[in-house]
Amino acid sequence: MAARSRRQGRSSFPTAKCRATGRLHGQSGETVGIGTIESHFDFARNKSFLDVTSHQGNDFQINIPFWKHLNTLTAKLDEPGRFVVFPGYEWSGNTAVGGDQ
């Protein structure tokens, strides 16, 4: 990913490669974490000053209404060049077949 961290005082991503700060595996109270998904993303952007983040609830806890909400919210919060947000889920198959990825 080509990015310049907001921690470095930049407000947009340059075209050259550089470091970005992110967390791709987080959950909220809708799955096995705490708080709302909105507070999860607010914390990532406005308190942790991340450049990229995602929500990775366990697959067996992601129902259709929540998946639709997650996709709508990530599309709304995604600001190309400033704050990149991905929808996602964690495959939580049985450990014997390689689950919990």
Side-chain angles (χ1 to χ4, degrees):
M1 171 192 313
R4 177 167 290 156
S5 173
R6 288 187 294 146
R7 291 174 187 249
Q8 296 171 2
R10 306 291 187 218
S11 61
S12 63
F13 293 104
T15 56
K17 289 183 181 180
C18 60
R19 296 177 189 210
T21 304
R23 178 181 175 153
L24 298 179
H25 190 96
Q27 297 191 32
S28 61
E30 291 89 350
T31 55
V32 297
I34 60 171
T36 65
I37 191 166
E38 290 83 2
S39 65
H40 167 76
F41 289 129
D42 177 66
F43 187 86
R45 179 181 176 187
N46 300 314
K47 290 133 182 113
S48 297
F49 304 105
L50 299 180
D51 301 303
V52 59
T53 195
S54 183
H55 184 278
Q56 298 292 317
N58 297 82
D59 60 2
F60 60 87
Q61 295 174 308
I62 305 291
N63 57 35
I64 292 171
F66 181 72
W67 182 248
K68 288 180 180 180
H69 178 60
L70 175 62
N71 278 274
T72 299
L73 186 60
T74 55
K76 177 183 170 186
L77 297 174
D78 187 60
E79 294 181 59
R82 183 163 188 266
F83 184 63
V84 179
V85 186
F86 296 107
Y89 62 88
E90 172 185 341
W91 176 58
S92 303
N94 150 333
T95 303
V97 294
D100 231 10
Q101 302 293 321

